[in-house]
Amino acid sequence: MSPTDLSVAVPTLSAETAPAESLRDVVGSRRVEATLRWLDDHPPHLIADELARMDALHAGVAFRLLDKDRALAVFEELEPVDQQQILTGLRDQSFRELVEEMDPDDRARMLREAPAKVAKKVLAGLSPRERRMTAALLGYSEGSVGRYMTPEVVALPRNLTVDQALRTVRAKGAGAETVYTLPVVDAGRRLTGIVELRELVLGAPEMMVADLVVTEPVFVRATDSAEKAARLMRETNLINLPVVDSEDRLVGLLTIDDAVEVIEAADSEDVARQAGTQPWAGHYMAAKVFQLARYRAMWLLLLLVAATLTVTVTDAFEATLAQAAHLALFIPLLIGAGGNAGAQAATSCVRALAVGEVRVSDLLRVIWRELRVGLVLGAMLATVGMLIGAAFVGAQIAVVVGITLVVICGWAATIGGTMPLLAKKLRIDPAVISAPMVTTLVDATGLIIYFTTAKMVLGI
């Protein structure tokens, strides 16, 4: 794509650029030559990162200075929300050329999050073949492997020789996204095995593909979860994973680059939910202040309402506090320790669920494990807490603080480890049972434990 293809005129710029300058600096200072040098000196993924940090105007100016092949490489590195921003500023011809050259899975990924108007424009501008492949991918449910796989695959019959197979790869490989993993199929295109390109290159020309094929390959169905498939690839060290339909017919491959993106997106969503915020698309540095605030506000409001439990509990034990005012000194210490213990357990359990180290059937084992972990942690903290209590308010309240720390930590760790598993059983995203929610719950119940222990030990 040359500068003459631009739908918006690029200002004439001049002067040299300093090595430390960002792409936005050189574009914003209206220096075309410096911008071209910056783009030539940086790989596509770094250019994409810079474009994602820029506003629509500056990003569009920089993108239009890329040649056609390099523009495609950069475009496929962008997140869908940033791709849409670039597309809205292109002329129809440039628009059609760009989306036509994209891999079908990357194109479908962009259209998943695109407004209906943009999606309609993209599909209308595609050739019949590309439109059919893209529509087929979009026909699969959200989050399934079918939405992420590439349908452009070189499949081999079993009855070929190695020489014939290599000729097939040379003839069809240019139209495929990858040729490192070659599915082997029967006459009905049913998957019967796989052969790696390395085996063909190293094999004797007269050998049969059937002698090299792995007849029990790891594969997934197009309707399976993309996240589970991606994590399966990580566990089995695969760079490509065959995808079949309900009748075992080959429909595509899940490639390692898409698998990495699936895992990254899933982990980003889990981290956001565990932190008590909604996940968002796009680059953090390009997000508006009010946009970030809107994503965080709902959870904060919910947690604020939930925190009224703590106020209610404190009010209910007002008489106890009146008789032993020193108890109030240790409330922040106790609820802080309990909340942190619960958050640690919840985070560990969500992560273990995500990577398959823990299953719902392990619920009782997790409860027993986290209870013991919490009690051990509580005992450690109690030692320090009793020393602090004895130094400030005397032995009796120090004993109350010590006992409470042991009980609260055991209880908090048990709750933190249990809630994600229960959420999974109820088909709720475990990350929704986030650390802030566990902390809020433990705060309220921790106060009940504290004041009840005080009444028993102090006899008030």
Side-chain angles (χ1 to χ4, degrees):
M1 188 181 301
S2 67
T4 58
D5 294 326
L6 310 185
S7 59
V8 176
V10 179
T12 303
L13 317 175
S14 60
E16 295 293 325
T17 179
E21 287 184 301
S22 67
L23 179 58
R24 177 167 185 164
D25 292 334
V26 292
V27 172
S29 60
R30 299 173 178 267
R31 290 174 282 166
V32 167
E33 293 301 324
T35 303
L36 289 171
R37 280 197 300 274
W38 197 102
L39 294 172
D40 288 340
D41 291 342
H42 292 79
H45 71 279
L46 289 182
I47 298 174
D49 183 67
E50 285 292 313
L51 293 178
R53 293 168 175 263
M54 298 161 65
D55 56 61
L57 177 61
H58 289 92
V61 168
F63 187 80
R64 294 183 187 101
L65 291 173
L66 294 165
D67 62 66
K68 182 178 178 180
D69 292 337
R70 198 159 171 78
L72 178 63
V74 171
F75 191 79
E76 291 187 337
E77 293 287 345
L78 292 168
E79 291 296 317
V81 65
D82 301 313
Q83 291 176 334
Q84 294 161 32
Q85 177 175 277
I86 295 295
L87 285 178
T88 55
L90 296 180
R91 279 181 173 176
D92 285 346
Q93 181 60 32
S94 300
F95 182 102
R96 285 194 294 269
E97 289 178 357
L98 187 61
V99 296
E100 177 75 20
E101 293 297 323
M102 291 178 70
D103 291 325
D105 54 321
D106 291 329
R107 190 187 303 121
R109 173 172 167 265
M110 177 189 70
L111 295 180
R112 281 200 312 272
E113 302 174 23
K117 183 178 179 180
V118 175
K120 184 177 180 180
K121 184 179 179 182
V122 169
L123 291 174
L126 295 175
S127 63
R129 177 178 179 272
E130 294 294 330
R131 188 185 304 120
R132 282 195 303 272
M133 287 192 293
T134 304
L137 296 182
L138 291 173
Y140 292 104
S141 60
E142 183 67 32
S144 65
V145 180
R147 283 288 187 100
Y148 293 87
M149 70 182 183
T150 174
E152 296 180 309
V153 181
V154 177
L156 300 174
R158 291 176 59 91
N159 58 354
L160 296 181
T161 64
V162 167
D163 183 57
Q164 291 171 327
L166 287 173
R167 287 205 298 268
T168 300
V169 173
R170 294 188 190 100
K172 299 181 178 180
E177 184 171 339
T178 178
V179 294
Y180 298 112
T181 300
L182 301 164
V184 178
V185 297
D186 62 16
R189 202 172 170 78
R190 291 180 178 83
L191 181 69
T192 61
I194 61 167
V195 62
E196 299 293 337
L197 179 62
R198 178 179 185 273
E199 300 297 326
L200 295 181
V201 172
L202 297 179
E206 67 277 4
M207 286 185 67
M208 299 299 295
V209 168
D211 296 329
L212 300 174
V213 68
V214 176
T215 55
E216 294 184 2
V218 178
F219 67 90
V220 293
R221 302 200 182 279
T223 53
D224 290 346
S225 163
E227 182 181 350
K228 289 183 179 179
R231 296 194 187 279
L232 176 63
M233 291 181 68
R234 186 176 66 179
E235 292 169 5
T236 53
N237 297 318
L238 295 175
I239 59 172
N240 297 294
L241 181 64
V243 182
V244 301
D245 63 13
S246 59
E247 298 180 358
D248 292 339
R249 290 191 296 260
L250 180 73
V251 292
L253 287 175
L254 180 63
T255 56
I256 187 63
D257 58 325
D258 290 323
V260 169
E261 289 186 359
V262 169
I263 292 176
E264 180 182 338
D267 289 347
S268 296
E269 180 178 346
D270 287 347
V271 169
R273 294 194 184 281
Q274 286 176 327
T277 183
Q278 293 179 341
W280 69 87
H283 201 291
Y284 170 82
M285 295 304 295
K288 301 293 187 292
V289 171
F290 285 105
Q291 180 186 12
L292 293 176
R294 178 166 57 85
Y295 285 129
R296 300 177 188 179
M298 183 56 69
W299 265 106
L300 287 177
L301 289 172
L302 289 174
L303 293 173
L304 181 64
V305 173
T308 58
L309 289 172
T310 303
V311 177
T312 303
V313 171
T314 304
D315 183 64
F317 286 93
E318 185 178 2
T320 303
L321 276 173
Q323 296 181 58
H326 290 313
L327 290 173
L329 297 174
F330 295 92
I331 290 177
L333 181 151
L334 294 170
I335 64 175
N340 289 335
Q344 288 176 338
T347 301
S348 298
C349 191
V350 169
R351 183 247 175 215
L353 273 171
V355 300
E357 295 176 355
V358 169
R359 296 184 288 269
V360 175
S361 58
D362 296 321
L363 178 60
L364 294 179
R365 295 177 62 190
V366 170
I367 290 175
W368 176 232
R369 173 181 291 268
E370 289 296 339
L371 173 61
R372 288 180 294 164
V373 171
L375 292 175
V376 170
L377 291 172
M380 294 177 181
L381 297 178
T383 303
V384 178
M386 290 178 68
L387 291 175
I388 295 173
F392 283 95
V393 295
Q396 277 192 309
I397 291 182
V399 171
V400 173
V401 171
I403 294 173
T404 303
L405 278 169
V406 174
V407 178
I408 281 182
C409 288
W411 166 247
T414 303
I415 289 295
T418 302
M419 288 183 70
L421 288 170
L422 293 177
K424 184 76 171 179
K425 187 175 181 64
L426 296 174
R427 300 185 183 278
I428 301 173
D429 185 351
V432 173
I433 308 299
S434 59
M437 183 61 77
V438 171
T439 299
T440 302
L441 176 62
V442 170
D443 286 351
T445 55
L447 286 178
I448 295 175
I449 293 170
Y450 182 39
F451 290 129
T452 301
T453 302
K455 293 179 71 174
M456 294 173 62
V457 173
L458 301 178
I460 56 178

